[in-house]
Amino acid sequence: QKQLVESGGGTVQPGGSLRLSCVASGFSLDYYSIGWFRQAPGKEREGVSCISSSDGSTNYVDSVKGRFTISRDTAKRTVFLQMNSLKPEDTAVYYCAASSAFNVCSPYVTYEYDYWGQGTQVTVSS
């Protein structure tokens, strides 16, 4: 069974931090790039960050660059998203997804993902 499960969401004040986790089951991160996406109410899903299967290289959209860090532990088949300096506009449901189509990924590409997690809510509010 191939599956992704996110965790780590919650409610924080602006400027706070959260670390999201995405655990993969049934496949190796050596062959699947992992993307983090988010969707706020009334908005379409957008990419946030991704980590490439080829070499673990990372990419970010401009709005989170310098604040978010994506990383992976291939042995544990887990991808993390460390989110610092959170802003209210970061509020969304965050999803991880796996793609075998990319060994080099871009967070601006949201298609060609094979598996999706259930999402975890991140709320940034004062």
Side-chain angles (χ1 to χ4, degrees):
Q1 181 178 347
K2 294 180 172 63
Q3 187 177 52
L4 295 169
V5 178
E6 304 99 328
S7 63
T11 301
V12 297
Q13 295 182 348
S17 297
L18 286 172
R19 187 180 71 163
L20 307 183
S21 298
C22 173
V23 180
S25 299
F27 60 95
S28 172
L29 300 184
D30 291 326
Y31 303 104
Y32 285 80
S33 294
I34 303 296
W36 282 99
F37 303 84
R38 64 188 182 188
Q39 188 166 24
K43 298 183 178 179
E44 67 179 7
R45 185 181 62 212
E46 64 173 346
V48 176
S49 180
C50 67
I51 187 162
S52 298
S53 61
S54 60
D55 59 359
S57 60
T58 61
N59 288 286
Y60 306 87
V61 295
D62 290 343
S63 61
V64 308
K65 188 176 182 180
R67 299 189 297 120
F68 291 10
T69 302
I70 190 171
S71 61
R72 69 179 182 179
D73 185 334
T74 56
K76 296 182 178 180
R77 295 190 293 186
T78 302
V79 176
F80 304 96
L81 185 67
Q82 178 67 46
M83 304 185 295
N84 299 326
S85 302
L86 283 162
K87 303 175 181 180
E89 51 263 44
D90 295 318
T91 296
V93 177
Y94 283 70
Y95 301 88
C96 65
S99 175
S100 61
F102 313 122
N103 54 18
V104 177
C105 68
S106 168
Y108 294 99
V109 178
T110 61
Y111 51 86
E112 297 291 346
Y113 279 84
D114 305 295
Y115 306 105
W116 291 80
Q118 82 288 353
T120 185
Q121 176 71 47
V122 172
T123 302
V124 185
S125 176
S126 60

